[in-house]
mmCIF file with all atom_site columns, all heavy atoms in Angstrom:
data_model
loop_
_atom_site.group_PDB
_atom_site.id
_atom_site.type_symbol
_atom_site.label_atom_id
_atom_site.label_alt_id
_atom_site.label_comp_id
_atom_site.label_asym_id
_atom_site.label_entity_id
_atom_site.label_seq_id
_atom_site.pdbx_PDB_ins_code
_atom_site.Cartn_x
_atom_site.Cartn_y
_atom_site.Cartn_z
_atom_site.occupancy
_atom_site.B_iso_or_equiv
_atom_site.pdbx_formal_charge
_atom_site.auth_seq_id
_atom_site.auth_comp_id
_atom_site.auth_asym_id
_atom_site.auth_atom_id
_atom_site.pdbx_PDB_model_num
ATOM   1  N N   . ALA Z 1 72  ? 99.729  97.573  104.799 1.00 98.00 ? 1233 ALA Z N   1
ATOM   2  C CA  . ALA Z 1 72  ? 100.586 97.842  103.643 1.00 98.00 ? 1233 ALA Z CA  1
ATOM   3  C C   . ALA Z 1 72  ? 102.012 98.200  104.052 1.00 98.00 ? 1233 ALA Z C   1
ATOM   4  O O   . ALA Z 1 72  ? 102.957 97.955  103.297 1.00 98.00 ? 1233 ALA Z O   1
ATOM   5  C CB  . ALA Z 1 72  ? 99.979  98.952  102.791 1.00 98.00 ? 1233 ALA Z CB  1
ATOM   6  N N   . THR Z 1 73  ? 102.184 98.793  105.223 1.00 98.00 ? 1234 THR Z N   1
ATOM   7  C CA  . THR Z 1 73  ? 103.540 99.148  105.650 1.00 98.00 ? 1234 THR Z CA  1
ATOM   8  C C   . THR Z 1 73  ? 104.395 97.883  105.740 1.00 98.00 ? 1234 THR Z C   1
ATOM   9  O O   . THR Z 1 73  ? 105.513 97.831  105.193 1.00 98.00 ? 1234 THR Z O   1
ATOM   10 C CB  . THR Z 1 73  ? 103.503 99.869  107.015 1.00 98.00 ? 1234 THR Z CB  1
ATOM   11 O OG1 . THR Z 1 73  ? 102.752 101.077 106.848 1.00 98.00 ? 1234 THR Z OG1 1
ATOM   12 C CG2 . THR Z 1 73  ? 104.897 100.190 107.527 1.00 98.00 ? 1234 THR Z CG2 1
ATOM   13 N N   . HIS Z 1 104 ? 105.074 106.612 99.220  1.00 97.00 ? 1265 HIS Z N   1
ATOM   14 C CA  . HIS Z 1 104 ? 104.636 106.703 100.621 1.00 97.00 ? 1265 HIS Z CA  1
ATOM   15 C C   . HIS Z 1 104 ? 105.853 106.442 101.521 1.00 97.00 ? 1265 HIS Z C   1
ATOM   16 O O   . HIS Z 1 104 ? 106.764 105.709 101.131 1.00 97.00 ? 1265 HIS Z O   1
ATOM   17 C CB  . HIS Z 1 104 ? 103.545 105.654 100.852 1.00 97.00 ? 1265 HIS Z CB  1
ATOM   18 C CG  . HIS Z 1 104 ? 102.915 105.721 102.192 1.00 97.00 ? 1265 HIS Z CG  1
ATOM   19 N ND1 . HIS Z 1 104 ? 103.353 104.980 103.268 1.00 97.00 ? 1265 HIS Z ND1 1
ATOM   20 C CD2 . HIS Z 1 104 ? 101.863 106.449 102.644 1.00 97.00 ? 1265 HIS Z CD2 1
ATOM   21 C CE1 . HIS Z 1 104 ? 102.598 105.238 104.326 1.00 97.00 ? 1265 HIS Z CE1 1
ATOM   22 N NE2 . HIS Z 1 104 ? 101.683 106.129 103.968 1.00 97.00 ? 1265 HIS Z NE2 1
ATOM   23 N N   . SER Z 1 106 ? 106.269 104.391 103.761 1.00 97.00 ? 1267 SER Z N   1
ATOM   24 C CA  . SER Z 1 106 ? 106.505 102.960 103.995 1.00 97.00 ? 1267 SER Z CA  1
ATOM   25 C C   . SER Z 1 106 ? 107.265 102.305 102.847 1.00 97.00 ? 1267 SER Z C   1
ATOM   26 O O   . SER Z 1 106 ? 107.657 101.135 102.942 1.00 97.00 ? 1267 SER Z O   1
ATOM   27 C CB  . SER Z 1 106 ? 105.173 102.224 104.235 1.00 97.00 ? 1267 SER Z CB  1
ATOM   28 O OG  . SER Z 1 106 ? 104.317 102.391 103.140 1.00 97.00 ? 1267 SER Z OG  1
ATOM   29 N N   . ASN Z 1 155 ? 98.723  108.780 97.476  1.00 97.00 ? 1316 ASN Z N   1
ATOM   30 C CA  . ASN Z 1 155 ? 97.861  109.028 98.634  1.00 97.00 ? 1316 ASN Z CA  1
ATOM   31 C C   . ASN Z 1 155 ? 97.553  110.498 98.832  1.00 97.00 ? 1316 ASN Z C   1
ATOM   32 O O   . ASN Z 1 155 ? 96.503  110.857 99.345  1.00 97.00 ? 1316 ASN Z O   1
ATOM   33 C CB  . ASN Z 1 155 ? 98.491  108.445 99.911  1.00 97.00 ? 1316 ASN Z CB  1
ATOM   34 C CG  . ASN Z 1 155 ? 99.955  108.791 100.050 1.00 97.00 ? 1316 ASN Z CG  1
ATOM   35 O OD1 . ASN Z 1 155 ? 100.757 108.491 99.173  1.00 97.00 ? 1316 ASN Z OD1 1
ATOM   36 N ND2 . ASN Z 1 155 ? 100.320 109.447 101.140 1.00 97.00 ? 1316 ASN Z ND2 1
ATOM   37 N N   . ASP Z 1 180 ? 102.663 99.469  94.956  1.00 98.00 ? 1341 ASP Z N   1
ATOM   38 C CA  . ASP Z 1 180 ? 101.981 99.824  96.201  1.00 98.00 ? 1341 ASP Z CA  1
ATOM   39 C C   . ASP Z 1 180 ? 100.591 100.287 95.760  1.00 98.00 ? 1341 ASP Z C   1
ATOM   40 O O   . ASP Z 1 180 ? 100.412 101.430 95.333  1.00 98.00 ? 1341 ASP Z O   1
ATOM   41 C CB  . ASP Z 1 180 ? 102.760 100.935 96.916  1.00 98.00 ? 1341 ASP Z CB  1
ATOM   42 C CG  . ASP Z 1 180 ? 102.041 101.392 98.186  1.00 98.00 ? 1341 ASP Z CG  1
ATOM   43 O OD1 . ASP Z 1 180 ? 100.955 100.861 98.493  1.00 98.00 ? 1341 ASP Z OD1 1
ATOM   44 O OD2 . ASP Z 1 180 ? 102.579 102.284 98.879  1.00 98.00 ? 1341 ASP Z OD2 1
ATOM   45 N N   . GLN Z 1 183 ? 96.226  102.769 97.827  1.00 98.00 ? 1344 GLN Z N   1
ATOM   46 C CA  . GLN Z 1 183 ? 95.163  103.757 97.608  1.00 98.00 ? 1344 GLN Z CA  1
ATOM   47 C C   . GLN Z 1 183 ? 94.302  103.399 96.408  1.00 98.00 ? 1344 GLN Z C   1
ATOM   48 O O   . GLN Z 1 183 ? 93.202  103.930 96.250  1.00 98.00 ? 1344 GLN Z O   1
ATOM   49 C CB  . GLN Z 1 183 ? 95.761  105.151 97.388  1.00 98.00 ? 1344 GLN Z CB  1
ATOM   50 C CG  . GLN Z 1 183 ? 96.392  105.760 98.626  1.00 98.00 ? 1344 GLN Z CG  1
ATOM   51 C CD  . GLN Z 1 183 ? 95.379  106.140 99.702  1.00 98.00 ? 1344 GLN Z CD  1
ATOM   52 O OE1 . GLN Z 1 183 ? 94.167  106.246 99.458  1.00 98.00 ? 1344 GLN Z OE1 1
ATOM   53 N NE2 . GLN Z 1 183 ? 95.858  106.347 100.908 1.00 98.00 ? 1344 GLN Z NE2 1
ATOM   54 N N   . SER Z 1 203 ? 96.114  97.455  101.923 1.00 98.00 ? 1364 SER Z N   1
ATOM   55 C CA  . SER Z 1 203 ? 95.741  97.602  103.327 1.00 98.00 ? 1364 SER Z CA  1
ATOM   56 C C   . SER Z 1 203 ? 94.216  97.693  103.421 1.00 98.00 ? 1364 SER Z C   1
ATOM   57 O O   . SER Z 1 203 ? 93.610  98.519  102.725 1.00 98.00 ? 1364 SER Z O   1
ATOM   58 C CB  . SER Z 1 203 ? 96.380  98.882  103.880 1.00 98.00 ? 1364 SER Z CB  1
ATOM   59 O OG  . SER Z 1 203 ? 96.548  98.796  105.265 1.00 98.00 ? 1364 SER Z OG  1
ATOM   60 N N   . HIS Z 1 205 ? 92.048  98.880  105.569 1.00 98.00 ? 1366 HIS Z N   1
ATOM   61 C CA  . HIS Z 1 205 ? 91.303  100.059 106.068 1.00 98.00 ? 1366 HIS Z CA  1
ATOM   62 C C   . HIS Z 1 205 ? 91.182  101.181 105.060 1.00 98.00 ? 1366 HIS Z C   1
ATOM   63 O O   . HIS Z 1 205 ? 90.487  102.171 105.290 1.00 98.00 ? 1366 HIS Z O   1
ATOM   64 C CB  . HIS Z 1 205 ? 91.911  100.572 107.379 1.00 98.00 ? 1366 HIS Z CB  1
ATOM   65 C CG  . HIS Z 1 205 ? 93.235  101.273 107.238 1.00 98.00 ? 1366 HIS Z CG  1
ATOM   66 N ND1 . HIS Z 1 205 ? 93.354  102.631 107.354 1.00 98.00 ? 1366 HIS Z ND1 1
ATOM   67 C CD2 . HIS Z 1 205 ? 94.480  100.809 106.999 1.00 98.00 ? 1366 HIS Z CD2 1
ATOM   68 C CE1 . HIS Z 1 205 ? 94.631  102.971 107.224 1.00 98.00 ? 1366 HIS Z CE1 1
ATOM   69 N NE2 . HIS Z 1 205 ? 95.343  101.881 106.997 1.00 98.00 ? 1366 HIS Z NE2 1
ATOM   70 N N   . LYS Z 1 206 ? 91.847  101.033 103.900 1.00 98.00 ? 1367 LYS Z N   1
ATOM   71 C CA  . LYS Z 1 206 ? 91.698  102.071 102.863 1.00 98.00 ? 1367 LYS Z CA  1
ATOM   72 C C   . LYS Z 1 206 ? 90.478  101.797 101.984 1.00 98.00 ? 1367 LYS Z C   1
ATOM   73 O O   . LYS Z 1 206 ? 90.113  102.631 101.158 1.00 98.00 ? 1367 LYS Z O   1
ATOM   74 C CB  . LYS Z 1 206 ? 92.949  102.124 101.978 1.00 98.00 ? 1367 LYS Z CB  1
ATOM   75 C CG  . LYS Z 1 206 ? 94.238  102.390 102.729 1.00 98.00 ? 1367 LYS Z CG  1
ATOM   76 C CD  . LYS Z 1 206 ? 94.326  103.771 103.344 1.00 98.00 ? 1367 LYS Z CD  1
ATOM   77 C CE  . LYS Z 1 206 ? 95.717  103.979 103.928 1.00 98.00 ? 1367 LYS Z CE  1
ATOM   78 N NZ  . LYS Z 1 206 ? 95.880  105.281 104.543 1.00 98.00 ? 1367 LYS Z NZ  1
HETATM 79 C C1  . PLP K 2 .   ? 100.084 104.616 99.334  1.00 52.64 ? 2291 PLP K C1  1
HETATM 80 C C2  . PLP K 2 .   ? 100.167 104.059 100.720 1.00 52.64 ? 2291 PLP K C2  1
HETATM 81 N N1  . PLP K 2 .   ? 101.013 103.041 100.965 1.00 52.64 ? 2291 PLP K N1  1
HETATM 82 C C3  . PLP K 2 .   ? 101.115 102.481 102.175 1.00 52.64 ? 2291 PLP K C3  1
HETATM 83 C C4  . PLP K 2 .   ? 100.368 102.928 103.240 1.00 52.64 ? 2291 PLP K C4  1
HETATM 84 C C5  . PLP K 2 .   ? 100.532 102.280 104.583 1.00 52.64 ? 2291 PLP K C5  1
HETATM 85 O O1  . PLP K 2 .   ? 99.357  101.630 104.996 1.00 52.64 ? 2291 PLP K O1  1
HETATM 86 P P1  . PLP K 2 .   ? 99.193  101.145 106.499 1.00 52.64 ? 2291 PLP K P1  1
HETATM 87 O O2  . PLP K 2 .   ? 99.382  102.344 107.368 1.00 52.64 ? 2291 PLP K O2  1
HETATM 88 O O3  . PLP K 2 .   ? 97.813  100.621 106.556 1.00 52.64 ? 2291 PLP K O3  1
HETATM 89 O O4  . PLP K 2 .   ? 100.227 100.123 106.759 1.00 52.64 ? 2291 PLP K O4  1
HETATM 90 C C6  . PLP K 2 .   ? 99.476  103.989 103.036 1.00 52.64 ? 2291 PLP K C6  1
HETATM 91 C C7  . PLP K 2 .   ? 98.689  104.553 104.163 1.00 52.64 ? 2291 PLP K C7  1
HETATM 92 O O5  . PLP K 2 .   ? 98.489  105.748 104.269 1.00 52.64 ? 2291 PLP K O5  1
HETATM 93 C C8  . PLP K 2 .   ? 99.363  104.559 101.729 1.00 52.64 ? 2291 PLP K C8  1
HETATM 94 O O6  . PLP K 2 .   ? 98.520  105.567 101.487 1.00 52.64 ? 2291 PLP K O6  1
#
Side-chain angles (χ1 to χ4, degrees):
T1234 298
H1265 186 267
S1267 58
N1316 47 303
D1341 177 0
Q1344 291 291 343
S1364 205
H1366 72 106
K1367 303 293 187 180

